């Protein structure tokens, strides 16, 4: 069994960015238990940016991206040295893997990352993954590690994705604002209502929040992987989640799984525009599995090039699909060939 565990900044550091060593100790001890039990574990860890702050005596989170990148270079090595020390105390070894969003769109890089992660697992090493914040472009990045963890889970064909955070799971409303909010134990389908109820993060240094966790759970679900969102502070949370004990919120995986290319188109490719389609085209692409033809496109928004990702909306404004266009916005009026080929189109309803 392969388990991908993601832990967020708010579980690993205090507001000043000091690493919560006891929390890391507990996490590593639980990972060691899973390993002893024959499970393969990939750890996706945040907190590089936050952990850089104490080194430079910075209390406030800087707002400019370059400063955040500088902090990440400092914090990442501090973070890793603690993981390494803790893993070593259980006779385990960690291997750092830093990735970017672009690595997931470049097939060569993608296969390379998969190969190295598989090699590490084969060697019994715990891969410790984070976004390569130091070199990542501000516009083209995951930003939070939730979606990154879900893409990694797909990449290594994980059985479970466990997102550890500072709340118990997904609630019917934001529990920090509404005291009647109830924890939802199981989610079959991530709908609009859930997304509306999901709050962002309240921490200055953490990037995620529930919205990005739901986005990650959706990627896992489309990858056929069961996803659990649970509290990092719950005792033995990893063993409980892996054994199927009811902790936090569990998302049901879909029976049908997307290929890695379609997963990237659907959930990672930056959106460059919107195409609104008529009812006939909607039926043809959603029910008929057809390509989207220019004749069914009522309007396009945004400036895009051939190969860019567009959201496809129906006349009611609902997103029904996402795909890579075959023509630029400038050429659209004259286009006669398929606007988005079915192989480059992901149906999201
Ligand atoms: N890559 C970021 C870091 O390590 C992730 C930030 C976050 O998800 O909180 O700081």
């Amino acid at each position: 069994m392969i388990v991908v565990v993601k832990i967020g900044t708010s579980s690993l550091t205090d507001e000043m960015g000091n690493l919560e060593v006891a929390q890391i100790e507990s996490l590593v001890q639980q990972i060691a238990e899973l390993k002893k039990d024959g499970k393969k574990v990939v750890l996706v860890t945040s907190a590089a940016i936050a952990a850089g702050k104490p080194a430079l005596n910075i209390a406030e989170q800087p707002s400019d991206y370059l400063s955040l990148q500088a902090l990440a270079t400092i914090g990442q090595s501090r973070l890793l040295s603690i993981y390494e020390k803790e893993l070593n105390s259980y006779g385990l070894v960690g291997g750092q893997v830093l990735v970017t969003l672009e690595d997931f769109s470049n097939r060569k890089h993608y296969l390379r990352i998969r190969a190295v992660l598989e090699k590490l697992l084969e060697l019994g090493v715990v891969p410790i993954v984070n976004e390569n914040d130091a070199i990542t472009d501000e516009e083209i990045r995951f930003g939070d590690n939730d979606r990154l963890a879900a893409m990694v889970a797909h990449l290594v064909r994980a059985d479970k994705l466990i997102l550890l955070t500072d709340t118990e799971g997904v609630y019917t409303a934001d529990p920090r604002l509404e005291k009647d909010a109830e924890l939802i134990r199981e989610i079959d389908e991530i709908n609009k209502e859930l997304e509306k109820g999901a709050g962002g993060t309240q921490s200055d240094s953490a990037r995620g929040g529930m919205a990005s966790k739901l986005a990650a759970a959706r990627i896992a679900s489309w990858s056929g992987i069961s996803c659990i969102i649970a509290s990092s502070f719950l005792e033995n949370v990893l063993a409980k989640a892996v054994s199927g004990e009811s902790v936090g919120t569990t998302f049901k995986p879909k029976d049908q799984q997307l290929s890695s290319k379609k997963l990237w188109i659907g959930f990672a490719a930056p959106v460059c525009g919107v195409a609104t389609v008529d009812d006939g085209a909607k039926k043809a692409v959603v029910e008929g599995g057809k390509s989207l033809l220019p004749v069914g496109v009522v309007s396009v928004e945004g400036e895009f090039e051939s190969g860019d990702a567009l959201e496809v909306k129906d006349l009611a404004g609902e997103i029904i699909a996402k795909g890579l266009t075959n023509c630029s916005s400038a050429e659209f009026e004259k286009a006669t060939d398929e606007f988005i080929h079915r192989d480059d189109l992901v149906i999201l309803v």
Side-chain angles (χ1 to χ4, degrees), residues 117-325:
L117 286 172
E118 282 176 351
K119 188 71 192 172
L120 289 170
L121 292 176
E122 184 193 310
L123 293 168
V125 173
V126 178
I128 305 177
V129 183
N130 194 359
E131 187 161 15
N132 196 348
D133 298 308
I135 59 148
T136 301
D137 186 273
E138 184 168 13
E139 304 298 327
I140 311 166
R141 63 179 177 136
F142 285 101
D144 62 83
N145 272 353
D146 298 312
R147 284 179 309 137
L148 166 63
M151 298 299 280
V152 166
H154 176 87
L155 188 71
V156 298
R157 304 173 187 96
D159 299 282
K160 268 185 206 285
L161 168 66
I162 304 172
L163 302 173
L164 295 179
T165 184
D166 54 2
T167 59
E168 296 292 324
V170 183
Y171 285 81
T172 47
D174 190 336
R176 294 166 301 197
L177 308 173
E178 289 183 41
K179 69 172 187 338
D180 292 341
E182 278 173 37
L183 180 68
I184 308 172
R185 288 281 171 201
E186 254 183 26
I187 294 177
D188 285 351
E189 194 74 48
I190 300 167
N191 55 31
K192 287 237 143 37
E193 222 158 288
L194 270 178
E195 279 168 348
K196 253 192 270 158
T201 176
Q202 288 205 333
S203 156
D204 281 346
S205 35
R207 294 271 321 170
M210 204 41 85
S212 74
K213 281 172 191 63
L214 289 182
R218 176 176 275 137
I219 296 174
S221 161
W222 281 102
S223 310
I225 299 168
S226 151
C227 173
I228 295 147
I229 298 178
S231 168
S232 57
F233 303 102
L234 190 73
E235 216 182 318
N236 289 327
V237 60
L238 291 187
K240 286 177 181 157
V242 166
S243 69
E245 209 177 296
S246 173
V247 284
T249 303
T250 302
F251 296 83
K252 203 171 149 222
K254 288 192 185 294
D255 301 331
Q256 161 221 11
Q257 297 174 22
L258 293 179
S259 66
S260 47
K261 179 184 167 194
K262 289 217 168 177
L263 202 71
W264 178 79
I265 294 173
F267 303 106
V271 177
C272 300
V274 176
T276 301
V277 300
D278 62 26
D279 291 340
K282 177 179 174 181
K283 195 159 177 231
V285 298
V286 174
E287 290 168 30
K290 300 276 195 307
S291 297
L292 178 60
L293 304 177
V295 63
V297 180
V298 179
S299 63
V300 290
E301 287 163 48
E303 272 181 33
F304 49 84
E305 297 299 324
S306 166
D308 280 348
L310 301 188
E311 278 176 348
V312 180
K313 292 188 178 174
D314 64 11
L315 292 173
E318 290 287 318
I319 299 171
I320 57 163
K322 204 175 147 195
L324 305 180
T325 109

